[in-house]
Amino acid sequence: MSFDAFLALLVYALVTSITPGPNNLMLLASGVNFGIVRTVPHMLGISIGFLVLLVAVGLGLGAVLTAFPVLHTGLKIAGGAYLLYLAWKIAMSRTLTAKGETKRQPMRFIDAAAFQWVNPKAWVMAITAMAVYTNPEHPFLSVVLISVAFTVVNLPSVSVWAGFGTALRGFLSDPVRLKWFNIAMGVLLAATLWPMLR
């Protein structure tokens, strides 16, 4: 991969990782409701889960889904249903979690990693990156380079959203503001399904 191509890949990774989508909206809400420290497993789950998805797509999973559209449709339905469930949970959240409180839990590492497999934006990002930036002469090396580039860019990008949410905790300590923030985040998260349904 040439330096120019690698630079273009890094820009693509940055733009797709930092723009709004299901992961970033959930991290914003998690930062508000749980703070940055308790959101770290969620952030790491996104980055590692997406890395595994990228490698799988690069090694042929994307081609399998193209060859078997019923699998792709099933994945879309499962992803949409789970995303709506998460949107509902966020929208119904009504109190901030204080330090030391463990009654409500942020998304766990394994849940965030598994979510990448049903996240429509993650699939589009992975398939596009592998289709555009792989070099047919060095396919394995290309998959590794693309995966490393995304991992290096993704974690800081998603951390920005969790950090922004944490910064809003003081403003949203008012129960009425928090209620409407969480409802708005739930609605926005559900709205991320629109591109998938078109």
Side-chain angles (χ1 to χ4, degrees), residues 163-174:
F164 183 58
T166 301
L168 288 173
R169 280 176 69 88
F171 176 73
L172 295 173
S173 60
D174 177 319

Side-chain angles (χ1 to χ4, degrees), residues 27-103:
L27 285 172
L28 178 64
S30 185
V32 166
N33 289 287
F34 302 105
I36 193 83
V37 173
R38 293 189 64 201
T39 301
V40 167
H42 187 168
M43 293 184 294
L44 292 173
I46 288 170
S47 291
I48 301 301
F50 186 65
L51 170 65
V52 173
L53 177 66
L54 268 173
V55 171
V57 168
L59 297 179
L61 184 59
V64 170
L65 290 176
T66 302
F68 298 99
V70 71
L71 289 175
H72 186 247
T73 302
L75 188 64
K76 284 172 78 171
I77 292 169
Y82 187 58
L83 200 122
L84 288 174
Y85 165 74
L86 292 173
W88 176 258
K89 280 183 64 173
I90 289 170
M92 293 298 103
S93 180
R94 294 292 181 259
T95 59
L96 293 177
T97 302
K99 284 186 178 179
E101 183 185 333
T102 57
K103 184 178 173 188

